Amino acid sequence: MIGLCTYGGYVPRYRLNRGIAYGAMSWINPANIANAKGEKAVANFDEDSLTMAVAAGIDALKGIDRSTVEGLYFASTTMPYKERLNSGIITTALGLNDNIRAADFGGGIKAGTTALLSALEGVESKRINNIVVTVSDSRLGKPASPQELVFGDAAASFLVGDENVIAEFKGSYSITYDFGDHFRGQNAKYDRQWEDRWIRDLGFDRFVPEVVNGLMSKYGLKVTDFAKVIYPCHYPAARRKLNKILDISPEAEQSNFQAEIGETGTPQSLIMLISALEEANPGDKILVVSFGSGCDALYFEVTDNIKKLNSRDGISGCLANRADLDNYTKYLVWRDILPVEGGLRSEEDLWTRWSALWRSRKTVLGLWGGKCKKCGTAQFPAQKICVNPNCGAVDQMEQIRYSDKIGHIASYTGDMLSASLNPPAIYGQIEFEGGGKFLFDLTDCDLDSLQTGTPVTMSFRRKYYDKIREISGYFWKAVPVKEGE
Amino acid sequence: MADGIKDKVAIIGMGCTKFGERWESSAEDLAVEAFVECLADAGIDKQELQAAYIGTHFDEVNVGKAAVPIAVALKLPYIPATRTENYCATATEAFRAAVYSVASGVYDIVLALGVEKLKDTGYGGLPGGGGMGVMGRMVGANATAPGLFAQLATAYGARWDVPMDKIKDAIAHISAKSHANGALNPKAHLRKVISEDQIKAAPMIAYPLGLFDCCGVSDGSAAAIVTTPEIAKSLKKNQDIVKVKALQICVSSGEESIHNTWDGSHFVTTRKAATKAYEEAGIKNPRDEVSMCEVHDCFSITEFVTMEDLHLSAKGGVYDDVMNGFYDLDGQVPCQVDGGLKCFGHPIGASGLRMIYAMYEQILDRVPEERKVKNARIGLTHNLGGSPASNVAAISIIGKD
């Protein structure tokens, strides 16, 4: 049996109330009030599509021996690198093997389901046993554009394989059209779109039924056979119309989280799939449709294993972990839309020394440390000479992964002098359970909520953005575990 | 068998510029200013210098690398001149090298000079990031000096169960005391008396440190000329001879930063260096025998924990000593008698020698009555470079017989 073995979700902690963004820009585009309801998930200043993809991947791999993973596909239309394999950064961050197949899927926003299909069919071919698929986007609309309000940031991930399958892959149907509803050119920062009425009335109204009916006739099914029908369409009127045309009952309709997250691009239908799986029962049939330069339709059937899946954040957990981003200009600065004076201190040249990153990639991107084979002392980074003064063994480090360890804050501060897009810059010494200690930046938290002893988990983040070379550098930060988690 | 530095080397001259925002002076100008005062105090000619150790820290501003730029500025007579650099302990390293070169018997008269020109950065605080090294750039937190030292407060509070408002009271007293002392000193950078309430109400720089918990970022230079006690006596017939009693430096081993044995509330290095320095100087009970001290109060919280690390206050007990005025100018062991880094200022490469200068002028009874330490015989300086988790602690003890 081939299918989804696990799922993992990620929605950034900060949520921007659309009314605040609309209020700031309504003077120029009052008609945007139609999009001003609810809130959108916004990547923190140190997040991008790649870091969110890592976070979702970590969630998907909970309880999985990462050394057994054989492939990783990353889908996004907002990858930080045009050249340098983005999925290669992710495999290093996740601590996967070197002898692994990795690929980036991009272009249209149906690339998420296409990556998933490629993984499913790859496993089906029996030439590869499993593949992690992680799908993420952080698309930008210009201030006052509909997209600014409609879009949100999130990521979804799955382990595709043939063991412990929770949702069996039963089949698919695809259509592809060169449909220019949304587009970005070679150097475009912002999404552009054609008229909403055309996207809605020609795009969604025609393509979604075409792909759904195509799958139904291919497999001899009808829509009412499905417990959940998932398709991404943020236009409420179009959704109502499609539900009617396709005979999708209110129970079978899956929320698109437009009021909580926003239209997330490549991961959109997959986030909805995760949410459906969180509620699913064995035997449920689930139809997943993506949209963007055509459609993919995927047909799954939930198995008994769904009941055995260990706990994870998924989408529901991420939705519960939220904080207001109550400041529109902060959003603009975080996304590098509004130029801001960061002070002379922020103008330092943030170069990447590639040869140095190469030899320390396991430490920097993977957060691997060492454990002394002689005395057992865990230490980060791994040392040539064991840090235990009573040991001092040379070259005796076995590699251990710190990215999934729990730490505790031993000391901390909030620094107003450091150049930061989210001042104060919070950092502190983190002591890991099982040994090891290091000074880490803290993120996704407020200074007032911290105290010594607070538990933290580690999160892969953008450490710097090099404005001269237009590239991002990455490392790990500590995120305080919120109450109730 | 090595028996330490005690009484093997004497200081015959010192000089120190006014510290501050010396907009009109270059590093070279400042070095010359300290050098000229130092030579005049020693009463020797430049040609009698046999070697020089020059301390500078930041390459990003200041004079760049090596001892050459300052040797050229001072027109030293083709003598060996060597740069010393060890973070903020740079000038103590210059002093130590000069003292050891005399003690070795290789030279008779040697110059130690430290200089730093910080106020060419265009912003407050120290110059950023360039010195972190390749790995530091990839994995180092987005930290500045205030934030690295501020963590002492949260860790100390956790270690001794002291609430933050009590720590804030004590560190405000520490800064108020240094401001009071600095106000009396014409060479000090910051010369205003500031109340504890003003200190506590100041804008936050790095929690829980406010603006007045942070030392001045200054330009300045300080210098010393050292020789053998015999030559000192022949040159200074009518003056007390100030001799080096101890010089100890302790450098972090990595245990503090990445091993789980240190709680972040104190300086491992300072404790070890202090123990060795007292042993070297023959001091049994520092609380009674040390007349005064200059400690590395880059931040008020650093001074707070350092007084315990120097074994002057009981572990966990510094709060009472601070609040009882034990370290005030009229207290039992006056601390930061010239205003300290806090108010005299902190030009990185000069500070260690400035501290020694403050002890020297007190021991030789050269200061006006209003800022005089009574019976000043033994002075201790504590010069710390780096951050609490990874640093160099340099302790000097000088005194007259």
Side-chain angles (χ1 to χ4, degrees), chain A residues 234-448:
Chain A
H234 71 85
Y235 301 107
R239 286 194 81 84
R240 282 194 296 274
K241 193 169 164 194
L242 282 167
N243 289 345
K244 203 169 164 193
I245 293 170
L246 291 169
D247 200 13
I248 301 168
S249 68
E251 299 74 43
E253 192 197 359
Q254 175 62 45
S255 167
N256 61 358
F257 299 110
Q258 187 58 26
E260 296 88 2
I261 303 173
E263 162 58 50
T264 56
T266 49
Q268 181 59 35
S269 52
L270 302 176
I271 284 162
M272 296 165 72
L273 170 59
I274 291 172
S275 183
L277 289 170
E278 286 174 339
E279 306 283 321
N281 294 307
D284 284 356
K285 289 184 173 60
I286 298 178
L287 178 63
V288 182
V289 175
S290 62
F291 182 92
S293 303
C295 297
D296 290 323
L298 290 78
Y299 156 31
F300 293 99
E301 188 167 317
V302 177
T303 75
D304 289 339
N305 288 325
I306 193 88
K307 298 291 177 203
K308 294 184 220 150
L309 191 67
N310 52 10
S311 86
R312 59 201 55 239
D313 293 337
I315 294 302
S316 55
C318 293
L319 281 176
N321 175 15
R322 64 173 297 291
D324 286 327
L325 175 59
D326 55 1
N327 184 329
Y328 176 63
T329 59
K330 199 185 254 192
Y331 161 77
L332 294 178
V333 169
W334 283 4
R335 295 281 79 81
D336 198 21
I337 295 168
L338 180 68
V340 69
E341 175 59 68
L344 287 173
R345 207 174 271 283
S346 71
E347 294 180 9
E348 211 182 315
D349 183 6
L350 299 164
W351 39 253
T352 301
R353 303 290 197 226
W354 293 101
S355 47
L357 178 58
W358 161 252
R359 65 176 174 267
S360 54
R361 63 193 182 281
K362 286 222 150 197
T363 305
V364 177
L365 298 178
L367 206 70
W368 291 84
K371 186 170 185 180
C372 180
K373 284 185 252 182
K374 198 171 158 214
C375 74
T377 299
Q379 46 210 280
F380 178 87
Q383 302 289 301
K384 286 285 279 184
I385 299 177
C386 176
V387 72
N388 175 1
N390 301 317
C391 175
V394 180
D395 282 332
Q396 290 297 314
M397 290 295 140
E398 105 184 69
Q399 289 189 323
I400 56 168
R401 196 169 58 226
Y402 274 83
S403 62
D404 48 3
K405 282 185 182 289
I406 299 289
H408 295 270
I409 298 175
S411 64
Y412 66 94
T413 188
D415 187 336
M416 291 301 295
L417 191 61
S418 288
S420 170
L421 294 181
N422 194 22
I426 301 174
Y427 49 90
Q429 293 184 88
I430 304 301
E431 299 242 14
F432 290 98
E433 291 180 2
K437 168 173 140 182
F438 200 67
L439 182 74
F440 282 102
D441 288 315
L442 285 132
T443 194
D444 286 2
C445 63
D446 305 310
L447 183 61
D448 293 343

Side-chain angles (χ1 to χ4, degrees), chain A residues 344-345 348-349 351 356 360 380 383 387 389 411-416 418-419 427-429 431 436-437 439 441 452 463 475, chain B residues 122-124 126 129 134 137-144 147-148 150-151 154 158 205-207 255-258 260 262:
Chain A
L344 287 173
R345 207 174 271 283
E348 211 182 315
D349 183 6
W351 39 253
S360 54
F380 178 87
Q383 302 289 301
V387 72
S411 64
Y412 66 94
T413 188
D415 187 336
M416 291 301 295
S418 288
Y427 49 90
Q429 293 184 88
E431 299 242 14
K437 168 173 140 182
L439 182 74
D441 288 315
T452 52
K463 178 153 171 56
F475 186 51
Chain B
Y123 52 79
L126 295 174
V134 170
R137 295 287 289 260
M138 292 190 286
V139 302
N142 183 17
T144 65
L148 291 171
Q151 292 170 71
T154 42
I205 300 295
Y207 174 84
E255 274 177 69
E256 304 106 293
S257 52
I258 62 169
N260 299 71
W262 176 66

Side-chain angles (χ1 to χ4, degrees), chain B residues 50-83:
Chain B
Q50 295 167 335
Y53 294 90
I54 312 287
T56 56
H57 174 57
F58 277 106
D59 298 342
E60 293 83 351
V61 285
N62 210 18
V63 294
K65 295 184 191 300
V68 178
I70 296 300
V72 169
L74 302 181
K75 310 295 179 293
L76 294 180
Y78 289 103
I79 56 173
T82 304
R83 181 192 184 190

